[in-house]
Amino acid sequence: MSSQHNKKMSDEERTELMKQMDKDLEEHFRKLEEKAKGREGKRMEGGWTEENWEEEMQNHPFFNQGWKEGKELSPMMKGLQDLKYSPDENTPEELAVNYKEDGNFNFKCKKYRFAVASYTEGLLAKSSDSLVNTQLYTNRAASQYHIGNYRSSLHDCEKAVSLTPGHMKALLRGAQCCFALKRYDDCQTWCDRGLKIDSKHAELLKIRSDSVRLSKEKERDERKRAMIEKKKKTEEKKILDEIRSRGIKIEQKKGVELNLSDLEPCHPAAVQKPVHLDSSTGELVFPVLFLYPEFGETDFIEEFRESEALQQHLQVMFGDGVERPPWDTNNRYKPDSLVVYLESEDCKLLEVPRDYTLIQAVTLNRFVLKAGTPNFILFVKNSKSHLNFLERHK
């Protein structure tokens, strides 16, 4: 804004500005009257319609919004802005009211972010009128609420009631914010403050009733979650205690204390089937992988109980009368012809007798269980693939 508008207008300048405004307005209406000539009995072509009335209004300096796009304001509009917004032309109280009116207009037009900006400018004017400031905070809270900024809205409600404790709109909006934030105890407090003023306030009564109901549901759900969490931790502790008691060595990923996360499977097929206890027998049950390096194939066994022997599963997969895997085209993989290995912590091969139970296998000396999933490596004994594998692992 140019320097000529930084000083207060004289009475002569005000009079001159008002004359120019009247002249412009008369000129605008004169043009409209010219358009209307000859339209008697005809449709008003070129007149204001539902489609063009906003555009027509924009042509008048009073309503032109070009400044929002960075366009230069006309001298008249600069003068008008000074009249309404200049601190040299208005007291803080007048400025606060002007900005509040702008905010109210934007709010009615559902331009809530613009409304927030207007109310904020009103508060920055630092008016000494506590009622106007209360209204600015309350109205800004309403705008913030409509764009989902519930915490900011609640903060403004708190400011409003600190200035005017019995302001019902602020108390209602504060209750609504707390309800939206699921802060049900606080919501009831806001409602109670409002109901002390108006004990029959329908909205407050409904919000309070809903808040009490949802608060009880929330407490119930939290108790359920706590019980489930407690049960889960008890089961986890029991699993870890059973693993320790059996002398199974676990590769630990976090800290020095054994944690159930150290037993979380890495293989996609095993993720949903971690180590657990059989509720009926108390046995440890593991996810197990059988690896066939000769063909790059894998079998996944979801539940392999600690008391079951390797031979049992080999019979199920390769025994007589069982459908052969498509990769074993020569029918070479048979239970009695197979040799089974685990890999030690120092990457050496540990041969596992086929009649060993799972618990015997995973407690072999130098074996460390990784990701809670034993990986058994299988070959046809003395096959070329087997011998090459042994050669590489010398």
Side-chain angles (χ1 to χ4, degrees):
M1 191 173 290
S2 61
S3 59
Q4 64 178 335
H5 294 115
N6 291 331
K7 63 181 186 297
K8 191 168 185 176
M9 284 186 176
S10 65
D11 290 341
E12 291 78 10
E13 288 172 326
R14 286 176 180 269
T15 301
E16 185 62 31
L17 178 61
M18 295 307 296
K19 286 180 179 179
Q20 182 63 42
M21 289 168 59
D22 288 340
K23 181 179 178 182
D24 287 348
L25 189 59
E26 287 175 4
E27 177 65 17
H28 188 69
F29 281 117
R30 184 187 67 76
K31 290 179 180 179
L32 291 177
E33 287 173 359
E34 287 180 358
K35 285 184 181 181
K37 286 180 180 179
R39 289 177 180 161
E40 294 180 5
K42 300 180 182 179
R43 184 181 179 275
M44 289 182 63
E45 295 182 4
W48 288 22
T49 66
E50 289 185 3
E51 289 75 26
N52 73 359
W53 69 270
E54 288 183 293
E55 182 180 349
E56 291 288 344
M57 286 186 69
Q58 287 289 327
N59 292 328
H60 191 273
F62 279 4
F63 310 111
N64 190 282
Q65 300 287 305
W67 61 271
K68 291 183 179 178
E69 300 172 3
K71 295 180 181 179
E72 183 71 19
L73 289 175
S74 67
M76 184 184 71
M77 287 304 297
K78 287 181 179 179
L80 282 173
Q81 283 208 337
D82 273 350
L83 284 174
K84 187 169 185 179
Y85 301 114
S86 172
D88 296 325
E89 299 293 332
N90 299 273
T91 65
E93 288 69 32
E94 289 170 336
L95 284 173
V97 171
N98 291 342
Y99 281 117
K100 186 187 80 168
E101 291 172 350
D102 286 352
N104 291 348
F105 178 78
N106 284 318
F107 186 89
K108 288 176 181 177
C109 295
K110 299 185 179 180
K111 295 181 178 179
Y112 301 119
R113 295 186 190 278
F114 286 141
V116 168
S118 295
Y119 295 133
T120 300
E121 288 297 326
L123 290 165
L124 291 174
K126 299 189 181 301
S127 168
S128 61
D129 189 328
S130 62
L131 178 58
V132 171
N133 288 332
T134 298
Q135 293 169 341
L136 285 166
Y137 277 121
T138 303
N139 293 354
R140 190 171 71 173
S143 303
Q144 295 280 26
Y145 182 87
H146 279 282
I147 56 179
N149 295 339
Y150 302 124
R151 287 182 176 81
S152 296
S153 180
L154 180 60
H155 180 71
D156 280 347
C157 292
E158 291 167 348
K159 290 283 189 180
V161 295
S162 71
L163 293 172
T164 309
H167 199 272
M168 186 59 77
K169 284 187 177 180
L171 292 170
L172 174 60
R173 186 68 64 189
Q176 291 171 333
C177 290
C178 290
F179 189 86
L181 292 167
K182 299 183 180 180
R183 291 166 51 175
Y184 300 122
D185 290 343
D186 291 336
C187 178
Q188 291 165 45
T189 299
W190 280 85
C191 289
D192 290 342
R193 292 169 69 179
L195 290 170
K196 283 182 181 179
I197 300 168
D198 181 358
S199 61
K200 296 182 180 180
H201 195 287
E203 285 186 83
L204 286 176
L205 288 170
K206 184 178 186 309
I207 293 172
R208 194 184 194 289
S209 174
D210 291 343
S211 180
V212 169
R213 173 177 56 81
L214 291 174
S215 179
K216 290 179 179 178
E217 290 180 6
K218 184 179 178 182
E219 289 175 1
R220 181 197 64 201
D221 292 342
E222 286 176 353
R223 285 196 300 270
K224 283 184 179 179
R225 278 194 294 271
M227 289 175 63
I228 291 171
E229 187 63 24
K230 183 178 180 181
K231 182 180 179 182
K232 181 182 176 182
K233 287 184 177 180
T234 300
E235 290 175 352
E236 288 179 358
K237 183 179 182 302
K238 192 172 182 181
I239 291 171
L240 294 175
D241 288 344
E242 293 294 332
I243 285 173
R244 290 190 190 96
S245 70
R246 285 159 175 72
I248 302 172
K249 293 180 182 178
I250 306 294
E251 181 181 65
Q252 292 176 233
K253 296 176 286 187
K254 298 179 181 178
V256 294
E257 284 293 321
L258 183 62
N259 189 286
L260 207 62
S261 64
D262 296 321
L263 296 168
E264 289 178 359
C266 295
H267 192 282
V271 169
Q272 301 300 321
K273 293 289 182 178
V275 181
H276 60 278
L277 287 171
D278 186 312
S279 58
S280 58
T281 65
E283 284 188 295
L284 285 169
V285 182
F286 293 81
V288 169
L289 290 172
F290 279 9
L291 311 177
Y292 312 102
E294 181 178 3
F295 298 100
E297 296 288 341
T298 304
D299 275 327
F300 172 59
I301 302 172
E302 289 186 357
E303 297 193 342
F304 198 134
R305 285 166 174 72
E306 61 176 308
S307 62
E308 294 174 344
L310 292 172
Q311 187 72 16
Q312 290 175 251
H313 287 274
L314 293 177
Q315 286 291 342
V316 170
M317 295 190 301
F318 302 110
D320 293 337
V322 175
E323 183 180 353
R324 310 305 300 171
W327 45 264
D328 185 20
T329 55
N330 295 323
N331 198 20
R332 294 165 51 238
Y333 277 69
K334 297 181 179 179
D336 294 339
S337 66
L338 298 177
V339 60
V340 183
Y341 296 98
L342 285 172
E343 196 171 63
S344 70
E345 57 185 323
D346 54 356
C347 298
K348 301 295 183 181
L349 293 177
L350 301 172
E351 186 172 350
V352 183
R354 293 190 302 271
D355 61 353
Y356 263 30
T357 61
L358 180 58
I359 194 62
Q360 287 176 305
V362 296
T363 53
L364 281 171
N365 186 34
R366 296 188 297 125
F367 175 73
V368 175
L369 182 62
K370 299 178 181 180
T373 310
N375 294 337
F376 291 100
I377 304 167
L378 289 82
F379 287 98
V380 174
K381 191 169 185 178
N382 294 327
S383 65
K384 183 178 179 180
S385 177
H386 176 215
L387 297 176
N388 288 337
F389 189 80
L390 292 177
E391 183 67 22
R392 291 196 301 272
H393 281 77
K394 280 185 177 180

